[in-house]
Amino acid sequence: MTLKELKEAIKPADRESMEEAKQHWMTVAKPLFSLGKLEDAIIRIAGMKRTPDYTLEKKGLVIMCADNGVVEEGVTQTGQEVTAMVADNFSKGDTSVCIMSEVAGVDVFPVDIGMARDVPSVTKPEKKVAYGTKNFLKESAMTREEVWQGIETGIQMVRHLKEKGYRILATGEMGIGNTTTSSAVASVLLQKPVAEVTGRGAGLTSSGLERKIAVIEAAIEKHRPDEKDVLDVLAKVGGLDIAGLTGVFLGGALYQIPVIIDGFISSVAALCAVRLISEVQDYILPSHVSKEPAGQMLLEVLHMSPFVTCDMNLGEGSGAVAVMPLLEMGLQVYRRMTTFEKAKIEQYEVLK
């Protein structure tokens, strides 16, 4: 599917369904608006699904795994071998987010979209675009064709999961060096100085952070990515995990499935998707706010406020998974709680 075809196929959320959901909340026998953002989320999901009567019983987490050639420049604390090790552990259920997902009732789907080496438990040739990106300090990270292939992989993943009955998806990523690529993309799309949007990632020293900032600045100066052309930005200074997650957000809008942002890297991908097709905004939900410097900036640009603020910066989809039980709680109140009429309680009115 081309970008033009996607733009034609993706429609705004259904306002009529949202209004019906809003009116139903007004009849639920509790103080009006007392569940705050959870009520708003249930209303928004009604618009995404085009019905005020829905469930979220099958929940999935898509984790895009990829390596980044820029790690050659000493911008990370660990080497690329860690990407493969953690990806393998996803398949064994032996990572932080896997344990959190088990508690939250979320199924985990790691995708090798661009790891530097194959991992038999995860790698599927039809989903793998490349064996890592190029070092963007020396050359463009990818071609535009590779970026689009990554995006299509994300879209296809959403289609596959919808066919299996999944009703809501969370986004996650794994890839050493991906806060470097995400900071580069964020700097260009937000038009902010690199130093303002770049953090320590997985624990860089102060000198390491300075090196990271210098590398990103040099790469942007070298390649001059076009802020108005998302595919150009991703090709020059992005990563395959970001491209894949961009596709997941686009796929959510195409297939009318809510997709939850995780942290910094996931937020960058969400912004990429919205910049490509503005209607995608209607199908994205926030989760938490990352401790990375650009975490709050990205949510503000996306006009979103986090459900939780736990000072998390783990990645993997941990923040997105953490809000799944909250959304389910809100939905169950919406669906199951008695109404003012049935309880024979005088209905609350909106005070003016």
Side-chain angles (χ1 to χ4, degrees):
M1 184 175 279
T2 65
L3 181 58
K4 181 181 178 182
E5 289 169 335
L6 267 179
K7 287 180 177 179
E8 292 172 351
I10 291 174
K11 306 300 181 187
D14 181 47
R15 306 300 165 186
E16 184 175 332
S17 295
M18 293 173 67
E19 183 59 31
E20 288 183 42
K22 182 178 179 180
Q23 290 307 313
H24 178 71
W25 270 126
M26 300 295 287
T27 70
V28 175
K30 63 170 189 57
L32 299 180
F33 318 119
S34 55
L35 287 181
K37 293 179 183 178
L38 295 184
E39 294 189 32
D40 294 338
I42 299 310
I43 292 168
R44 289 195 60 221
I45 295 172
M48 300 174 200
K49 293 185 172 293
R50 286 169 161 68
T51 175
D53 183 14
Y54 63 88
T55 63
L56 299 172
E57 71 268 14
K58 284 195 78 170
K59 306 173 181 67
L61 165 64
V62 179
I63 306 175
M64 291 292 176
C65 306
D67 279 303
N68 303 283
V70 72
V71 299
E72 295 174 357
E73 302 302 326
V75 295
T76 62
Q77 189 178 32
T78 57
Q80 288 185 332
E81 68 279 358
V82 175
T83 304
M85 292 167 61
V86 175
D88 186 43
N89 284 339
F90 286 141
S91 69
K92 299 173 182 175
D94 193 19
T95 70
S96 301
V97 81
C98 287
I99 294 168
M100 294 174 70
S101 295
E102 183 181 345
V103 174
V106 179
D107 297 326
V108 179
F109 300 95
V111 178
D112 176 4
I113 195 169
M115 290 193 293
R117 68 177 179 86
D118 290 339
V119 175
S121 61
V122 178
T123 303
K124 294 182 179 179
E126 68 273 15
K127 290 184 170 64
K128 188 157 188 160
V129 177
Y131 286 86
T133 57
K134 304 292 193 301
N135 180 349
F136 69 43
L137 184 61
K138 299 176 180 177
E139 57 188 308
S140 291
M142 298 171 275
T143 64
R144 287 179 73 97
E145 290 74 22
E146 287 173 327
V147 171
W148 191 251
Q149 188 179 344
I151 288 173
E152 286 189 314
T153 296
I155 295 171
Q156 290 162 9
M157 196 67 194
V158 177
R159 177 180 59 79
H160 171 72
L161 292 174
K162 181 176 182 179
E163 289 172 353
K164 287 185 170 293
Y166 286 86
R167 309 292 179 89
I168 186 168
L169 298 175
T171 50
E173 38 59 40
M174 178 59 213
I176 300 304
N178 61 9
T179 61
T180 301
T181 53
S182 298
S183 296
V185 174
S187 175
V188 176
L189 294 184
L190 297 176
Q191 286 295 280
K192 297 281 188 181
V194 173
E196 284 188 24
V197 299
T198 306
R200 296 176 185 271
L204 281 177
T205 62
S206 295
S207 60
L209 176 58
E210 290 176 7
R211 172 64 180 163
K212 182 177 180 179
I213 292 170
V215 167
I216 296 170
E217 288 174 338
I220 292 174
E221 178 66 24
K222 177 182 178 68
H223 300 300
R224 301 281 183 175
D226 181 357
E227 75 207 59
K228 295 183 175 61
D229 183 351
V230 169
L231 301 184
D232 184 64
V233 177
L234 287 174
K236 288 175 176 174
V237 296
L240 280 165
D241 51 352
I242 305 173
L245 290 176
T246 299
V248 173
F249 288 113
L250 290 167
L254 179 63
Y255 295 110
Q256 298 166 10
I257 292 180
V259 180
I260 305 174
I261 298 173
D262 182 37
F264 173 47
I265 296 148
S266 177
S267 297
V268 167
L271 180 59
C272 287
V274 170
R275 290 282 175 90
L276 285 170
I277 302 175
S278 60
E279 287 81 3
V280 173
Q281 175 91 41
D282 286 354
Y283 297 85
I284 296 173
L285 293 166
S287 63
H288 72 129
V289 57
S290 170
K291 285 179 68 178
E292 286 290 302
Q296 184 64 46
M297 297 180 205
L298 288 160
L299 287 181
E300 287 175 359
V301 169
L302 290 165
H303 308 293
M304 291 184 176
S305 175
F307 289 111
V308 295
T309 51
C310 298
D311 288 342
M312 295 167 62
N313 61 349
L314 172 62
E316 301 181 7
S318 52
V321 165
V323 304
M324 287 283 202
L326 286 175
L327 293 174
E328 187 63 59
M329 289 175 197
L331 180 61
Q332 290 306 315
V333 172
Y334 170 83
R335 290 181 60 84
R336 294 167 51 191
M337 191 168 175
T338 192
T339 63
F340 288 109
E341 182 179 2
K342 289 180 181 177
K344 296 182 178 173
I345 298 172
E346 184 176 353
Q347 184 157 341
Y348 291 173
E349 296 182 2
V350 179
L351 299 177
K352 296 181 181 180

